[in-house]
């Protein structure tokens, strides 16, 4: 185990209990909203003012609430090395960012193990997630400023949901370790939707579960697939460049990009919302 639990400094680092009802891991999609048919404008003048009045904020989990991408990288690196992937050379961070980050496990089977039978490839992914959870139990850190933002959301009575491509066991562990069980009203699992991110289905399901309008909601996302999913559901996305390159997130359609939840760019936008005298 010690050989696997690589220290977090390999990636450069750029850290709560609240009151709300217990999160509901939603499995059914109400019919109040459907997928947006409009083409969402990229970067939208780098402002969130057009979503006024704000009703809700939706969050991805991995890499957005917590700095978990290094742990996924270590788990994939070690397990792929064990099976001789890439002619026995360990994958590097660039490979992880370009080929693994943000993708769901079924997709990764095709990307990483296209010659394997589906059952064998999925067993590899299940084992990798188990290794990730062992690493997370020891080393997980929240994104800096998360507690400050959560308090801001709560104080204004905004609705909120977590929306993730991660399997249920991962989502439950991370939410619990971050002490956010009472913060989120609903948690949407892509594995229980018809299609995972980058398709909009998980975010459409969150809109339906909370009974909110995409025109009054924005999303925090750290991956290309997540930003595309949010935009596809008709919502702007604030990119979290904790690990992925800022330009990559902007090119995917992020309205603007922040390094963490203390970023002045974020709080300038939130202050603008407050100054517009929204019903918060």
């Amino acid at each position: 185990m010690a050989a696997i639990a690589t220290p977090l400094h390999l990636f450069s680092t750029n850290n709560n209990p609240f009151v709300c009802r217990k999160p509901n891991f939603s499995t059914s999609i109400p019919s109040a909203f459907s997928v947006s048919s409009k083409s969402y404008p990229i970067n939208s003048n780098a402002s969130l003012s057009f979503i006024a009045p704000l009703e809700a904020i939706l969050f991805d989990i991995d890499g957005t609430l917590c700095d978990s991408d290094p742990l996924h990288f270590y788990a994939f690196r070690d397990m792929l090395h064990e099976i001789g992937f890439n002619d026995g050379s360990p994958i590097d961070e660039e490979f992880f960012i370009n080929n693994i980050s943000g993708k769901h496990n079924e997709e990764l089977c095709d990307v990483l193990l296209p010659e394997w039978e589906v059952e064998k490839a999925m067993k590899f992914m299940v084992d990798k997630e188990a290794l990730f959870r062992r690493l997370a139990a020891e080393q997980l850190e929240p994104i800096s400023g998360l507690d400050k933002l959560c308090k801001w959301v709560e104080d204004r009575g905004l609705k909120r949901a977590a929306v993730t491509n991660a399997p249920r066991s991962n989502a439950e562990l991370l939410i619990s370790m971050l002490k956010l069980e009472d913060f989120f009203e609903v948690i949407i699992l892509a594995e229980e939707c018809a299609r995972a991110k980058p398709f909009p289905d998980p975010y459409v399901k969150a809109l339906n579960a909370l009974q909110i309008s995409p025109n009054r909601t924005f999303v925090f996302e750290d991956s290309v697939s997540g930003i595309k999913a949010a935009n596809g559901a008709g919502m702007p996305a604030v990119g979290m460049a904790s690990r992925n390159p800022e330009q990559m997130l902007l090119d995917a359609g992020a309205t603007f990009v922040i390094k963490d939840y203390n970023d002045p760019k974020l709080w300038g936008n939130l202050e603008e919302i407050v100054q517009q005298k929204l019903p918060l």
Side-chain angles (χ1 to χ4, degrees), residues 180-193:
L180 295 176
E181 304 99 318
D182 294 330
F183 176 71
F184 288 114
E185 298 171 73
V186 64
I187 298 173
I188 302 297
L189 304 170
E191 66 183 15
E192 296 175 352
C193 298

Side-chain angles (χ1 to χ4, degrees), residues 44-88:
S44 302
N45 300 318
S47 171
L48 294 173
S49 60
F50 60 93
I51 61 171
L54 183 63
E55 295 179 354
I57 302 178
L58 308 182
F59 297 78
D60 176 47
I61 297 179
D62 274 301
T64 302
L65 293 177
C66 52
D67 195 17
S68 53
D69 268 8
L71 307 183
H72 285 290
F73 168 68
Y74 304 145
F76 271 115
R77 181 196 62 189
D78 291 354
M79 289 191 61
L80 288 171
H81 183 63
E82 286 180 7
I83 63 172
F85 183 84
N86 193 31
D87 295 325

Side-chain angles (χ1 to χ4, degrees), residues 14-116:
N14 284 26
N15 237 252
N16 323 10
F18 308 107
V19 179
C20 194
R21 65 180 184 272
K22 291 286 185 181
N24 169 32
F25 281 79
S26 180
T27 57
S28 61
I29 304 180
S31 57
F33 298 98
S34 58
V35 176
S36 172
S37 60
K38 69 181 179 181
S39 176
Y40 198 81
I42 290 178
N43 302 343
S44 302
N45 300 318
S47 171
L48 294 173
S49 60
F50 60 93
I51 61 171
L54 183 63
E55 295 179 354
I57 302 178
L58 308 182
F59 297 78
D60 176 47
I61 297 179
D62 274 301
T64 302
L65 293 177
C66 52
D67 195 17
S68 53
D69 268 8
L71 307 183
H72 285 290
F73 168 68
Y74 304 145
F76 271 115
R77 181 196 62 189
D78 291 354
M79 289 191 61
L80 288 171
H81 183 63
E82 286 180 7
I83 63 172
F85 183 84
N86 193 31
D87 295 325
S89 297
I91 65 169
D92 58 17
E93 296 166 30
E94 183 179 3
F95 180 91
F96 176 83
I97 289 171
N98 292 331
N99 297 281
I100 297 177
S101 180
K103 293 182 172 66
H104 58 94
N105 282 340
E106 285 92 354
E107 185 179 5
L108 287 172
C109 288
D110 292 333
V111 171
L112 301 175
L113 307 168
E115 306 299 322
W116 287 26

Side-chain angles (χ1 to χ4, degrees), residues 4-266:
I4 296 173
T6 312
L8 287 175
H9 65 261
L10 215 156
F11 282 72
S12 58
T13 304
N14 284 26
N15 237 252
N16 323 10
F18 308 107
V19 179
C20 194
R21 65 180 184 272
K22 291 286 185 181
N24 169 32
F25 281 79
S26 180
T27 57
S28 61
I29 304 180
S31 57
F33 298 98
S34 58
V35 176
S36 172
S37 60
K38 69 181 179 181
S39 176
Y40 198 81
I42 290 178
N43 302 343
S44 302
N45 300 318
S47 171
L48 294 173
S49 60
F50 60 93
I51 61 171
L54 183 63
E55 295 179 354
I57 302 178
L58 308 182
F59 297 78
D60 176 47
I61 297 179
D62 274 301
T64 302
L65 293 177
C66 52
D67 195 17
S68 53
D69 268 8
L71 307 183
H72 285 290
F73 168 68
Y74 304 145
F76 271 115
R77 181 196 62 189
D78 291 354
M79 289 191 61
L80 288 171
H81 183 63
E82 286 180 7
I83 63 172
F85 183 84
N86 193 31
D87 295 325
S89 297
I91 65 169
D92 58 17
E93 296 166 30
E94 183 179 3
F95 180 91
F96 176 83
I97 289 171
N98 292 331
N99 297 281
I100 297 177
S101 180
K103 293 182 172 66
H104 58 94
N105 282 340
E106 285 92 354
E107 185 179 5
L108 287 172
C109 288
D110 292 333
V111 171
L112 301 175
L113 307 168
E115 306 299 322
W116 287 26
E117 294 182 357
V118 173
E119 293 79 6
K120 182 180 179 182
M122 283 305 299
K123 176 61 166 56
F124 177 92
M125 296 299 167
V126 169
D127 291 344
K128 175 264 160 185
E129 298 298 357
L131 175 55
F132 164 78
R133 289 191 294 276
R134 293 198 296 274
L135 296 175
E138 299 174 356
Q139 302 184 44
L140 189 72
E141 292 289 340
I143 297 294
S144 181
L146 177 62
D147 54 348
K148 176 183 176 183
L149 177 66
C150 288
K151 186 177 188 305
W152 187 92
V153 171
E154 264 198 332
D155 287 348
R156 285 153 183 81
L158 299 177
K159 294 184 178 181
R160 54 269 193 186
V163 183
T164 181
N165 269 359
R168 174 184 290 273
S169 51
N170 287 20
E172 290 177 338
L173 173 66
L174 299 186
I175 293 295
S176 174
M177 290 188 66
L178 294 169
K179 297 181 172 61
L180 295 176
E181 304 99 318
D182 294 330
F183 176 71
F184 288 114
E185 298 171 73
V186 64
I187 298 173
I188 302 297
L189 304 170
E191 66 183 15
E192 296 175 352
C193 298
R195 301 174 300 180
K197 306 173 192 178
F199 293 100
D201 302 38
Y203 278 115
V204 173
K205 188 172 183 178
L207 292 170
N208 290 330
L210 293 176
Q211 292 292 290
I212 52 176
S213 167
N215 298 324
R216 300 290 175 257
T217 306
F218 76 90
V219 175
F220 285 108
E221 268 286 358
D222 76 309
S223 70
V224 169
S225 64
I227 290 168
K228 289 182 176 180
N231 288 177
M235 294 176 288
V238 175
M240 177 65 71
S242 54
R243 301 297 174 183
N244 289 327
E246 178 176 352
Q247 193 58 50
M248 177 188 290
L249 302 181
L250 289 172
D251 290 345
T255 301
F256 59 87
V257 175
I258 59 176
K259 292 297 184 183
D260 57 36
Y261 294 113
N262 289 318
D263 196 309
K265 193 183 306 181
L266 170 63

